[in-house]
Amino acid sequence: KPGEQKHPKEPSSLQCMHLAVVACGDRLEETLIMLKSAVLFSNRRLCFHIFAEDSLKPEFEKKAMSDSSPCVFQLKEWPSSYTKKFESNIYPITFSVGNAQEWKKLFKPCAAQRLFLPVILKDVDSLLYVDTDVLFLRPIDDIWHILGEFNSTQLAAMAPEHEIPKIGWYSRFARHPYYGTTGLNSGVMLMNLTRIRSTHFKNSMIPGGLTWEEMLYPLYQKYKNHITWGDQDLLNIIFYFNPECLYVFPCQWNYRPDHCMYGSNCRGAEEEGVSILHGNRGVYHDDKQPTFKALYEVIRDFPFEDNLFQSLYYPLQSKFLDTVHTLCGRIPQVFLKQIEKTMKKVYENRVIVYLGANHRY
């Protein structure tokens, strides 16, 4: 009716959990296995935002299978019982400010794209960004709930780069400001994009604050001769000047080889198990950390419609027996605890549904 106020639709971020990834070069299979792990264990509907260079875009959806494993299906090949749990959008690699070629070459191919997610995904309220070499070992729902734990100034969450300053990279070698005592790892980053877009950030360039988009390129220009890890270093610089904006994850939400290859130093994982596995250093594809490689291969090879205990949990236990000679392999319970807990919940829910449907009074 004329003059009647229209109520806006419920934000899409309330309807599903948004997950973003940037895939370039040879990262197609890693990305598909990461997305597979997300769908296997999560409960609520997922919205995938896949940023891919032009040559990879058709690879995500075409009808084809990887030569390396019969279970690495492209997204449209997944069984309907899984495809109904998510929707996917594929975007080109774009940079809204500065020189695109500089951004592309900043660190790993296209990795700097993550810095521009608040600018590109204008209609998304909140988002979980992960690197391609991440595996979910429990529902995304659990990390998504952390958004509700943000205080009034926090707008992003990341885990420390290391737990022990004396062996951390930033505390020993960094030539630029970084967050806290050991810096941050940006491979798993939970973001309230609405807050990021509306905040003016303190910085080392002008006395007043700058918006996220205004800040990115000048920040890069100022520190480009001092950064080693590209966009991760820029994020460390941003949160050095704006520490009140950051929520710090415990290490089990971004568990890397560094947490076990020098001896176990992630207490949260020892107590609760690994929640998100981050196989950086290329450990899924070499034999330096066979425990990480075993997890990747078992999730990769899991037949979608098969039994989780039979075709995922038991093969993992078997493969882990061959890794006990390594420092990471000596603590298999750390890697299995959350998977076991998640699978038990899945089967308990199925039993309740089954009994409810068949109960007779």
Side-chain angles (χ1 to χ4, degrees), residues 108-125:
K108 293 178 182 176
C110 309
Q113 182 71 78
R114 86 183 84 184
L115 297 172
F116 294 86
L117 297 178
V119 180
I120 297 168
L121 300 175
K122 294 183 184 298
D123 296 327
V124 176
D125 175 67

Side-chain angles (χ1 to χ4, degrees), residues 19-36:
L19 177 67
V21 64
V22 180
C24 287
D26 59 356
R27 298 304 180 103
L28 174 66
E29 181 180 285
E30 267 191 7
T31 306
L32 288 168
I33 306 310
M34 180 277 291
L35 297 174
K36 183 178 182 180

